[in-house]
């Protein structure tokens, strides 16, 4: 009898271990997937993803296909949310994952990044294409891979909009447009988390990334609490250069007056190719990116499932 009990215990342990391993592997955003997405979005084929360009359209179609394959639904009639960018027609790409809780599903969070760039820049060694790998194929890759992850699990009580913004480089035009549209629909927005330039590690900091508008809410505190360690810190340069107002989080903060902030690892010393033709995938640390995105998974999971809105403005 004791031997039978011992055997059953071993089998149960193995089964639990295998089950945990399977769940862990599902949650793991692979370096290879990050590299594949980055390599396309920042390729010469897309010619710098300028607003209104064929390259930007190819990027949008690529994101649309990724959403479809992940079973992320369009929030509007189409994934493409068209708007006018100072005389040029362009679009945001908006995916939707409905919440599983009858009440909390009416509350939304937005996970976003801009996918456009500037097209061309000053020639260097015969190259004029500003590929925009760190700015912001990196942030776009985070949104696309996170969408795939959460769609595969469907463990989100709140609803999520996964948004790739157009015309950020023209003055945050895509996020301004979408913020107005969603406000007019009386969307119950809990918070917005934006990703910008996360392709290389910070220099000599105890934290992995910083958040813009650090002092404006308890978001950094809650992110670190949810992850169980220091992940987000305060970067003085971000405050000095008012980065909170310079990315796609800001129009949502203006319209909804809820926590809307940007995660970044660009610290003004660790990447010299801002709006430069050498902002190429060869300069990106894919292992770091995958690690950072995976760190965001338990954080976003908690945000999606708390019974109350724990992240608040100060």
């Amino acid at each position: 009898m004791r031997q039978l009990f011992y055997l059953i215990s071993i089998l149960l342990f193995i089964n639990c271990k295998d089950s945990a391993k399977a769940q862990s592997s599902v949650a793991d955003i692979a370096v290879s997937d990050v590299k594949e997405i980055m390599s396309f979005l920042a390729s010469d084929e897309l010619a710098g993803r300028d607003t209104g360009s064929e390259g930007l359209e190819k990027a949008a179609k690529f994101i649309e296909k990724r959403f479809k394959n992940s079973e992320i639904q369009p929030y509007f009639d189409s994934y493409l949310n068209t708007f006018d960018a100072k005389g040029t027609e362009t679009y945001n790409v908006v995916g939707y994952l409905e919440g599983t809780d009858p009440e909390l599903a009416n509350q939304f969070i937005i996970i976003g990044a801009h996918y456009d760039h500037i097209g061309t820049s000053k020639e260097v060694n015969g190259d004029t294409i500003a590929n925009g790998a760190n700015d912001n194929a990196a942030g776009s890759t985070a949104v696309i891979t996170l969408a795939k992850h959460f769609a595969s699990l469907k463990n989100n009580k709140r609803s999520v909009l996964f948004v790739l913004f157009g015309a950020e480089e023209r003055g945050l035009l895509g996020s301004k447009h979408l913020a107005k549209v969603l406000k007019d629909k009386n969307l119950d927005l809990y918070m917005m988390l934006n990703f910008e330039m996360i392709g290389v590690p910070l220099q000599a900091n105890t934290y992995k990334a910083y958040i813009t508008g650090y002092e404006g809410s308890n978001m950094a505190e809650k992110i670190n609490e949810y992850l169980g360690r220091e992940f987000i810190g305060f970067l003085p340069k971000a405050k000095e250069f008012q980065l909170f107002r310079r990315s796609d989080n800001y129009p949502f903060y203006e319209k909804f007056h809820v926590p809307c902030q940007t995660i970044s690892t660009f610290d003004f010393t660790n990447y010299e190719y801002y709006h430069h033709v050498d902002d190429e995938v060869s300069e990106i640390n894919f292992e770091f990116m995958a690690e950072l995105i995976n760190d965001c998974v338990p954080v976003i999971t908690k945000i999606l499932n708390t019974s109350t809105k724990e992240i608040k403005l100060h």
Side-chain angles (χ1 to χ4, degrees):
M1 188 69 176
R2 182 179 293 176
Q3 287 180 328
L4 179 61
F5 178 79
Y6 180 69
L7 180 60
I8 290 171
S9 298
I10 291 174
L11 289 172
L12 285 172
F13 174 77
I14 292 171
N15 184 58
C16 289
K17 189 175 181 182
D18 287 345
S19 176
K21 185 178 180 181
Q23 188 171 350
S24 174
S25 66
V26 168
D28 184 47
I29 292 164
V31 174
S32 58
D33 202 18
V34 170
K35 185 175 183 178
E36 179 186 349
I37 295 168
M38 285 285 295
S39 296
F40 179 75
L41 290 179
S43 65
D44 284 354
E45 180 184 346
L46 270 57
R49 307 187 308 279
D50 197 7
T51 298
S53 69
E54 183 181 343
L56 188 81
E57 183 177 354
K58 287 180 179 179
K61 294 296 183 183
F62 172 83
I63 297 162
E64 183 179 44
K65 185 177 180 180
R66 285 271 173 167
F67 280 174
K68 284 179 181 177
N69 290 344
S70 300
E71 297 185 354
I72 292 287
Q73 302 302 311
Y75 181 68
F76 301 105
D77 292 338
S78 162
Y79 289 100
L80 304 184
N81 167 234
T82 304
F83 64 95
D84 177 76
K86 298 179 181 177
T88 301
E89 182 176 280
T90 190
Y91 21 76
N92 302 311
V93 187
V94 186
Y96 170 50
L97 183 62
E98 186 176 12
T100 60
D101 184 90
E103 294 184 8
L104 291 179
N106 294 319
Q107 298 176 11
F108 283 74
I109 75 165
I110 294 174
I111 307 294
H114 76 90
Y115 74 110
D116 67 306
H117 197 48
I118 61 171
T120 59
S121 189
K122 184 179 178 181
E123 180 181 338
V124 177
N125 296 324
D127 183 12
T128 59
I129 297 174
N131 300 76
N134 199 25
D135 181 19
N136 190 32
S140 299
T141 298
V143 175
I144 295 166
T145 53
L146 288 167
K148 179 182 177 182
H149 168 80
F150 284 102
S152 72
L153 295 184
K154 295 181 174 63
N155 64 348
N156 54 300
K157 291 182 180 180
R158 291 185 173 88
S159 297
V160 196
L161 295 181
F162 295 98
V163 184
L164 286 307
F165 296 106
E168 187 267 0
E169 300 287 2
R170 301 285 181 99
L172 312 182
L173 299 184
S175 50
K176 287 177 181 177
H177 168 79
L178 186 61
K180 182 181 185 305
V181 168
L182 296 179
K183 185 64 176 177
D184 289 346
K185 289 171 66 70
N186 293 315
L187 187 90
D188 184 357
L189 181 64
Y190 169 21
M191 54 86 71
M192 188 265 199
L193 190 62
N194 192 54
F195 289 91
E196 179 88 45
M197 298 184 72
I198 57 167
V200 296
L202 290 166
Q203 297 283 3
N205 279 299
T206 58
Y207 50 87
K208 185 170 289 182
Y210 66 87
I211 200 165
T212 63
Y214 181 94
E215 299 162 308
S217 79
N218 68 342
M219 190 185 292
E221 174 191 336
K222 283 296 179 182
I223 287 175
N224 292 338
E225 176 189 320
Y226 292 161
L227 189 57
R229 57 183 165 82
E230 187 180 34
F231 173 51
I232 295 295
F234 172 67
L235 185 77
K237 283 281 187 184
K239 182 178 181 180
E240 179 185 343
F241 285 90
Q242 299 186 46
L243 297 189
F244 176 66
R245 296 170 177 266
R246 294 174 59 184
S247 197
D248 289 309
N249 60 284
Y250 190 65
F252 291 92
Y253 169 77
E254 279 195 305
K255 286 292 183 184
F256 289 91
H257 204 63
V258 298
C260 300
Q261 291 161 266
T262 293
I263 287 178
S264 180
T265 63
F266 172 67
D267 67 6
F268 298 87
T269 67
N270 62 345
Y271 201 75
E272 58 183 321
Y273 301 125
Y274 174 70
H275 285 188
H276 192 287
V277 298
D278 288 337
D279 184 7
E280 306 255 15
V281 290
S282 58
E283 304 301 319
I284 300 301
N285 186 326
F286 299 117
E287 290 77 13
F288 169 78
M289 271 188 63
E291 187 179 282
L292 184 148
I293 297 166
N294 278 303
D295 282 343
C296 290
V297 168
V299 172
I300 295 170
T301 300
K302 189 75 173 178
I303 291 170
L304 289 168
N305 291 290
T306 56
S307 58
T308 60
K309 296 177 178 179
E310 296 183 351
I311 297 174
K312 304 175 186 293
L313 295 176
H314 285 149

